[in-house]
């Protein structure tokens, strides 16, 4: 996980509480419609459906939108500028949800990982990564993943389903709740950047991701600039142009290899969309220029993709397609059962130097959150382990009866 975008000049606000707050609750049986994640027009239509007069619907939708996304409220009674009878009707028919926080882990480096359980019992993770001048929230787009990249722990999970727009936005809401940064402000905020780099492939859930990010970018809500949002894809070529045209956020590409043979092995999607097709799609991505480069993610795997020849081939590849590019070199984050080792540090530095000397930025990303399995490629629902241990305890208890 990483962040792109401009640095913020103002000092960061202080962190929220350092003790993780876990919010267990029973399965969701609330029949009321959840309005988190509704587009503005959908919210207006929902208000009309419960009897809000047409002449009031726009105003009420705007008021509710600001309370939900600017102030972070989850209780209609807190909406003091909405008439009391309207608040009662809203409470009767609607709710403003938060997912259950099954587990919240705080790393020694300040990284925070949230395991979130949604209404149907499925789970996904979000990770907050603080730096001196920014705070990046890594958001999941799916429960599980279908890509099976061989170096990625998340890829060992089966794809369960796409997350809804509300469930994607909810990850932002949970982080802001935890960091204590309501009401929203463009000054001194903790979450300054978003990366769609959590569990799942965002471009396989395009419509829901688009709706969620439009809410996050809305000028009367969370107000996050599109230049502070980066969407990462493993190379779903047919959707990349639409992403640039319809969402317009920064693009990151999980490259990881400089030839089809190696990429076929470690990023199986390459067998469907070849490296040449991927690079052509990158060259056609709208709005790229030297101040808004495409980020190429490159995980450093010992003896697989880390040679001097690989570094030179990477430079040739990016130069051939005339791409304004930045390469993030990612030291491989090990996980139990992984088939790879991380490249030696001096090898990573040598690789970085070769790319830098060719005029392409190639910083080495500092691993964050390794001690809580929150680093890049490590996200996998910790609830799997928790469920196994709970099952064992139950079995042991039954054996004693």
């Amino acid at each position: 996980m990483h962040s792109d975008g401009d640095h913020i000049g103002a000092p960061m606000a202080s962190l929220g509480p350092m003790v993780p707050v876990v919010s267990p609750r029973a399965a969701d049986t609330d029949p009321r419609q959840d309005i988190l994640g509704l587009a503005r027009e959908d919210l207006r239509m929902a208000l009309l459906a419960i009897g809000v007069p047409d002449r009031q619907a726009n105003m009420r939708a705007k008021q509710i939108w600001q309370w939900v996304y600017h102030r972070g409220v989850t209780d209609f009674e807190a909406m003091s500028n909405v008439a009391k009878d309207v608040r009662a009707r809203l409470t009767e028919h609607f709710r403003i949800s938060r997912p259950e926080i099954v587990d919240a882990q705080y790393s020694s480096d300040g990284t925070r990982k949230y395991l979130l359980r949604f209404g149907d019992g499925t789970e996904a993770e979000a990770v907050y990564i603080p730096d001196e001048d920014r705070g990046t929230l890594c958001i999941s787009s799916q429960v599980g993943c279908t890509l099976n990249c061989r170096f990625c722990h998340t890829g060992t999970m089966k794809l369960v389903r796409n997350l809804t727009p509300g469930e994607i936005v909810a990850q932002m809401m949970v982080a802001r709740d935890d960091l204590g940064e309501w009401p929203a402000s463009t000054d001194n905020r903790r979450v300054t950047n978003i990366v769609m780099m959590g569990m799942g492939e965002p471009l396989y859930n395009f419509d829901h991701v688009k709706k969620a990010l439009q809410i996050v970018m809305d000028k009367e809500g969370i107000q996050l600039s599109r230049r502070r949002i980066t969407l990462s894809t493993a190379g779903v070529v047919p959707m990349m142009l639409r992403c640039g045209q319809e969402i317009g956020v920064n693009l990151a590409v999980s490259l990881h290899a400089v030839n089809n043979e190696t990429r076929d092995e470690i990023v199986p999607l390459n067998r469907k969309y070849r490296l040449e097709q991927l690079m052509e799609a990158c060259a056609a991505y709208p709005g790229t220029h030297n101040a808004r480069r495409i980020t190429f993610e490159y995980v450093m795997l010992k003896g697989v993709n880390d040679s001097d020849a690989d570094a030179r081939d990477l430079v040739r590849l990016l130069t051939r397609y005339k791409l304004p590019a930045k390469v993030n070199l990612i030291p491989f984050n090990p996980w139990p059962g992984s088939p790879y080792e991380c490249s030696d540090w001096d090898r990573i530095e040598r690789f970085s130097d070769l790319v830098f000397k060719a005029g392409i930025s190639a910083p080495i990303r500092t691993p964050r959150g390794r001690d809580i399995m929150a680093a890049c490629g490590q996200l996998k629902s910790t609830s799997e382990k928790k469920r196994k241990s709970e099952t064992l305890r139950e079995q042991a208890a039954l054996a004693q009866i």
Side-chain angles (χ1 to χ4, degrees):
M1 288 152 287
H2 79 294
S3 62
D4 261 343
D6 301 334
H7 289 196
I8 292 182
M12 304 274 298
S14 60
L15 282 169
M18 287 307 296
V19 179
V21 178
V22 179
S23 59
R25 61 171 180 260
D28 188 358
T29 57
D30 193 331
R32 296 175 299 168
Q33 182 181 5
D34 189 356
I35 65 168
L36 191 74
L38 289 185
R40 274 179 179 267
E41 178 59 18
D42 293 335
L43 177 58
R44 192 183 76 85
M45 295 301 291
L47 293 176
L48 291 174
I50 66 165
V52 174
D54 187 41
R55 65 184 182 278
Q56 290 185 23
N58 280 336
M59 177 189 69
R60 296 301 184 202
K62 183 175 182 178
Q63 289 172 328
I64 293 166
W65 188 273
Q66 290 180 329
W67 280 106
V68 172
Y69 296 114
H70 186 75
R71 305 194 70 86
V73 306
T74 57
D75 183 356
F76 292 106
E77 283 304 312
M79 300 181 180
S80 55
N81 61 345
V82 177
K84 190 172 182 179
D85 63 317
V86 178
R87 295 202 304 264
R89 196 177 302 172
L90 293 173
T91 302
E92 180 184 356
H93 294 280
F94 301 133
R95 58 191 169 118
I96 308 161
S97 76
R98 292 289 191 272
E100 175 187 347
I101 303 173
V102 178
D103 196 21
Q105 295 176 273
Y106 293 176
S107 168
S108 57
D109 65 20
T111 299
R112 301 178 176 206
K113 182 169 77 167
Y114 309 100
L115 173 63
L116 305 176
R117 180 176 296 155
F118 302 105
D120 64 351
T122 58
E123 296 165 346
E125 290 178 333
V127 177
Y128 171 72
I129 309 154
D131 281 305
E132 286 184 12
D133 56 359
R134 71 177 69 191
T136 302
L137 184 66
C138 180
I139 291 179
S140 294
S141 56
Q142 296 177 308
V143 178
C145 190
T146 189
L147 295 181
N148 306 122
C149 298
R150 292 196 66 216
F151 58 86
C152 181
H153 199 206
T154 313
T156 64
M157 297 179 69
K158 292 180 179 178
L159 177 67
V160 178
R161 67 173 176 85
N162 287 333
L163 292 177
T164 66
E167 290 165 342
I168 294 169
V169 172
Q171 297 171 65
M172 179 71 158
M173 310 301 273
V174 164
R176 301 198 79 174
D177 290 347
D178 186 38
L179 293 163
E181 65 170 14
W182 300 112
S185 170
T186 54
D187 298 322
N188 296 327
R189 55 171 53 177
R190 297 301 309 172
V191 181
T192 63
N193 295 66
I194 284 178
V195 291
M196 296 299 305
M197 292 186 186
M199 296 163 61
E201 165 56 63
L203 294 187
Y204 276 153
N205 188 17
F206 180 84
D207 290 337
H208 289 178
V209 167
K210 175 183 172 181
K211 287 178 181 176
L213 292 182
Q214 285 173 335
I215 289 171
V216 170
M217 293 185 289
D218 190 279
K219 288 181 171 61
E220 293 182 7
I222 295 172
Q223 302 171 297
L224 203 64
S225 164
R226 68 183 67 246
R227 77 176 189 276
R228 295 189 177 278
I229 301 173
T230 299
L231 183 146
S232 176
T233 179
V236 184
V237 168
M239 301 303 297
M240 288 170 61
L241 184 61
R242 278 191 67 192
C243 177
Q245 291 173 335
E246 297 179 29
I247 308 178
V249 294
N250 300 316
L251 182 70
V253 174
S254 296
L255 187 62
H256 309 307
V258 292
N259 58 68
N260 281 314
E261 183 182 8
T262 305
R263 200 163 190 269
D264 283 351
E265 175 196 342
I266 60 179
V267 184
L269 185 64
N270 195 73
R271 298 169 196 164
K272 188 171 185 179
Y273 304 115
R274 310 303 283 165
L275 187 57
E276 296 78 14
Q277 294 173 279
L278 173 60
M279 300 308 288
E280 287 168 4
C282 289
Y285 192 77
T288 56
H289 46 74
N290 284 332
R292 191 168 183 255
R293 296 168 292 176
I294 292 176
T295 299
F296 290 92
E297 309 287 346
Y298 198 96
V299 65
M300 300 300 294
L301 303 173
K302 188 172 185 176
V304 176
N305 64 353
D306 62 351
S307 68
D308 285 4
D310 288 319
R312 294 187 181 104
D313 284 344
L314 175 59
V315 170
R316 277 193 286 268
L317 186 67
L318 299 178
T319 304
R320 183 187 317 151
Y321 289 91
K322 299 181 174 64
L323 290 169
K326 169 188 173 183
V327 180
N328 266 346
L329 299 180
I330 307 167
F332 173 62
N333 294 306
W335 42 269
S338 60
Y340 300 110
E341 295 178 54
C342 182
S343 304
D344 295 334
W345 193 254
D346 59 351
R347 172 98 306 262
I348 298 174
E349 289 184 326
R350 165 74 175 167
F351 194 102
S352 176
D353 286 343
L354 287 171
V355 179
F356 261 119
K357 284 174 182 174
I360 298 170
S361 176
I364 302 169
R365 186 189 303 171
T366 305
R368 302 292 300 274
R370 275 183 166 178
D371 55 332
I372 57 171
M373 289 290 284
C376 186
Q378 287 187 315
L379 290 195
K380 182 175 181 181
S381 177
T382 51
S383 64
E384 291 186 5
K385 186 184 292 184
K386 291 164 74 77
R387 275 197 296 270
K388 285 177 184 175
S389 63
E390 287 166 3
T391 301
L392 289 173
R393 282 199 299 272
E394 289 170 3
Q395 289 172 345
L398 288 172
Q400 292 176 353
I401 295 174

